[in-house]
Amino acid sequence: MRAGIGLREVAERAGVSMRTVSNVVRGTGRFSETTRERVLHAVEELGYRPNTAARRLRTGRSGVLLLAVPDLSMPYFAELAGHLLREAAGLGRTLLVEATGGRPEAELEIVLGRTDPLVDGVILSPLALDDRAAARAGSTTPLVLLGERVHDLPCPHVTIDNTGAAREATAHLLARGRRRIAVIGRQTVPHAATSATRLAGHRQALERAGLRHDETLAPPVAAYHRADGAAAMRALLDLPEPPDAVFCFADALAQGALHAVRERGLTVPGDVAVVGFDDVEEARYAAPPLTTIAPDKRELARLAVTALVDRTGARTPAESTVLIAGHRLVVRDSS
């Protein structure tokens, strides 16, 4: 960040008034989307950051937000965190990032508002959030959840149409002539909403094609890491009648599956077609490049940050709303 950069310099670069810059940065007032984009571009280009201490004295808020995700070593969360950081900075907010490890107690502490008192609000991607949180939620700290709505918490939920996306992925494999389609990503733990919704979409696509879901083609996994994908793929290849395609509920699982297929001397997509989910950067450089569902991560980030900033200045009680970002199927060589 260059020294001495303030509202005036941003306003001059964007060709708007200082008041407009202030409104965009604070997320208040009325302005067009074109104006917002122009101001945010100038903010990023100049490296402008508001004075947090002065803001807290003036408004009672620090401008500091917290993002809590299960595991930053997972490519999807790392990439999403990058988009969230940029969106927060564009609105003049500082975003702190921490990993919960998917521990129920850590997620519960966040839902109950037991975070740093300087934090204005929290974006949480829960993995093990249970009914205790829903029953005891009532924190004054604004909260936005990323992922499927599995609890009636009074806060915005930002997600994609996971069921529809999974249906598209399986329909793509069916259209390629595959009929024995396995899934990797089924979880048996409580509140595994991502697994449940993606499995539902997969089954819907099979039913529409007049096919029956075979439980032996859906081995459970403990987590969504590469090793879990490889282990599940090995189990599938050991079946008396192995699958001719596999739909993985995360690109990391798909990477593991690709490794296991190559390990057996088989080819993708010749022997087994593979589709992933997330469209992380490494999917484009897999061998072969991975067909995958691409959530609009930028839109997810924009919806989450905007919803949280809106909540930090709201005087009315929070409402349980669902905000849906887009997605698309990206077809590459693996299918």
Side-chain angles (χ1 to χ4, degrees):
M1 179 179 71
R2 286 156 50 190
I5 296 298
L7 290 178
R8 184 182 302 280
E9 288 76 16
V10 176
E12 290 175 354
R13 179 64 61 91
V16 298
S17 68
M18 290 174 60
R19 182 180 183 84
T20 297
V21 173
S22 179
N23 285 341
V24 171
V25 167
R26 290 184 293 117
T28 61
R30 303 178 71 175
F31 41 82
S32 69
E33 182 62 23
T34 300
T35 297
R36 175 182 178 272
E37 290 289 341
R38 197 160 67 240
V39 170
L40 295 185
H41 180 74
V43 164
E44 184 171 354
E45 191 175 46
L46 294 174
Y48 168 72
R49 294 295 181 270
N51 187 318
T52 300
R55 168 185 280 171
R56 189 164 184 83
L57 288 172
R58 185 176 66 255
T59 68
R61 294 189 293 273
S62 66
V64 176
L65 309 176
L66 173 66
L67 168 65
V69 297
D71 186 351
L72 281 166
S73 71
M74 296 181 69
Y76 173 75
F77 289 121
E79 290 187 13
L80 183 59
H83 286 284
L84 287 159
L85 283 163
R86 284 188 287 274
E87 285 293 327
L91 291 179
R93 267 62 175 186
T94 298
L95 186 69
L96 306 178
V97 183
E98 72 173 47
T100 64
R103 293 175 290 111
E105 61 274 16
E107 294 180 358
L108 182 60
E109 289 290 296
I110 289 170
V111 169
L112 295 178
R114 295 169 185 165
T115 57
D116 190 317
L118 291 178
V119 169
D120 288 340
V122 177
I123 298 171
L124 169 65
S125 179
L127 187 63
L129 199 59
D130 62 24
D131 291 327
R132 291 180 303 160
R136 296 168 58 189
S139 163
T140 56
T141 303
L143 174 70
V144 170
L145 293 182
L146 292 173
E148 290 300 294
R149 177 179 170 182
V150 293
H151 301 289
D152 195 26
L153 290 169
C155 64
H157 294 66
V158 180
T159 185
I160 68 165
D161 179 5
N162 277 286
T163 300
R167 193 167 54 240
E168 290 174 36
T170 301
H172 165 73
L173 290 169
L174 290 165
R176 291 293 192 271
R178 310 292 170 151
R179 287 297 179 267
R180 190 162 170 77
I181 304 172
V183 294
I184 296 178
R186 181 172 70 88
Q187 294 187 299
T188 58
V189 296
H191 312 297
T194 297
S195 167
T197 53
R198 294 178 188 177
L199 184 59
H202 168 73
R203 296 184 69 158
Q204 287 173 12
L206 291 179
E207 289 168 5
R208 291 181 182 184
L211 298 176
R212 182 180 61 86
H213 172 67
D214 185 345
E215 289 291 339
T216 64
L217 294 178
V221 297
Y224 282 11
H225 295 296
R226 296 173 185 83
D228 299 281
M233 190 72 240
R234 292 184 190 109
L236 288 167
L237 293 174
D238 286 337
L239 291 172
E241 189 180 352
D244 60 5
V246 59
F247 168 39
C248 300
F249 293 175
D251 284 350
L253 292 171
Q255 288 279 1
L258 289 173
H259 174 78
V261 171
R262 288 194 299 267
E263 201 176 54
R264 297 292 179 92
L266 301 174
T267 63
V268 175
D271 295 304
V272 185
V274 179
V275 173
F277 204 115
D278 292 336
D279 194 30
V280 298
E281 185 178 10
E282 64 183 277
R284 295 158 227 167
Y285 301 100
L290 184 65
T291 294
T292 184
I293 293 290
D296 190 334
K297 301 184 193 76
R298 182 178 179 185
E299 186 181 10
L300 282 166
R302 181 183 62 79
L303 289 172
V305 172
T306 301
L308 187 57
V309 169
D310 287 346
R311 290 306 314 150
T312 61
R315 298 180 180 274
T316 56
E319 296 180 356
S320 183
T321 56
V322 179
L323 305 172
I324 307 293
H327 70 270
R328 62 191 179 96
L329 174 69
V330 180
V331 178
R332 300 192 180 103
D333 295 345
S334 69
S335 63

